[in-house]
Amino acid sequence: MAVFPPAAAREDLLGRLPAGARFARPSKWHITLAFLGQVEDFRTAEVAEALAAAPRPPAFRLRLAGAGRFGAVIWTGVGGDVQALGELRESVRVALDGAGFTIDTRPFRPHLTVSYRTERGLSAALEGYAGPEWPVTGIALVESLLGNYHTLHEWPLPPGGQ
C-alpha cells in the first residue's frame, strides 16, 4: 500500500539531484504505508477487501523534505500533515492485521527511497530540501513485477482538509 507523489513533486525532487547520480526510477517513487511481501494471487482480493473497509482520513497535504539514510539506502523525508499520514497508515495496518496479513511492526518512518546504494552527493543534495506541497487524495495497492510497479486497486480519501 502506497501513496504516490504527483508528477510535479517528483520532478521537483529530480531537479534537486546531482547530474550523473544513480537513483531509483522516479516512476517508482512512493511512500510505503504497508509492505506485505509475497502474497498469493488468490489472496489479493482479501487484501483489497480489507483495505476497502479501512477508515480513511479526509484528504491532506504532504511535501517531500530533508534527507536521511538507512544503511546504503538514501531517502527524502515527509513533511506536511504527517499526523494524518500516520493515522492513514495505522488504519491500513489494523485492517490488514484483522484480515490476517501481518505487516512490519517497526515504528512508521515515512520516507521516499531515492537510491538503494550509497551515492556520493545525494545526501548532501537533499539536505535542507523542501519540495512543493501536494494533496494526498488516495492510496494504492501495488504489485511489484519484474522491477515495475502495477497498481491493482486505488481508494480515494474523502474530500477534506487539503
Side-chain angles (χ1 to χ4, degrees):
M1 282 44 64
V3 169
F4 285 87
R10 292 190 316 265
E11 289 167 9
D12 189 79
L13 177 59
L14 187 59
R16 182 70 179 248
L17 304 180
R22 294 183 300 174
F23 45 83
R25 288 193 312 268
S27 64
K28 293 178 70 172
W29 286 348
H30 66 280
I31 300 163
T32 300
L33 296 174
F35 178 75
L36 289 175
Q38 186 68 30
V39 174
E40 300 290 337
D41 286 344
F42 73 91
R43 296 203 70 199
T44 302
E46 293 175 54
V47 173
E49 287 173 21
L51 292 171
R56 293 181 291 281
F60 55 94
R61 299 183 73 77
L62 293 178
R63 75 171 356 121
L64 301 174
R69 292 177 60 176
F70 300 129
V73 172
I74 298 172
W75 50 264
T76 185
V78 178
D81 194 348
V82 293
Q83 181 175 341
L85 180 64
E87 291 169 8
L88 177 59
R89 194 282 188 169
E90 182 61 11
S91 178
V92 164
R93 186 198 65 74
V94 167
L96 291 172
D97 190 57
F101 296 95
T102 303
I103 65 169
D104 191 345
T105 58
R106 291 179 287 185
F108 181 52
R109 292 191 50 196
H111 65 280
L112 181 147
T113 298
V114 175
S115 179
Y116 291 95
R117 63 186 74 166
T118 301
E119 180 75 25
R120 178 176 288 175
L122 276 182
S123 291
L126 292 172
E127 192 170 317
Y129 174 70
E133 274 197 342
W134 43 276
V136 176
T137 58
I139 63 172
L141 173 59
V142 180
E143 172 185 47
S144 178
L145 185 62
L146 301 175
N148 295 304
Y149 290 158
H150 303 279
T151 299
L152 301 176
H153 295 280
E154 291 181 282
W155 295 272
L157 300 183
Q162 23 171 339

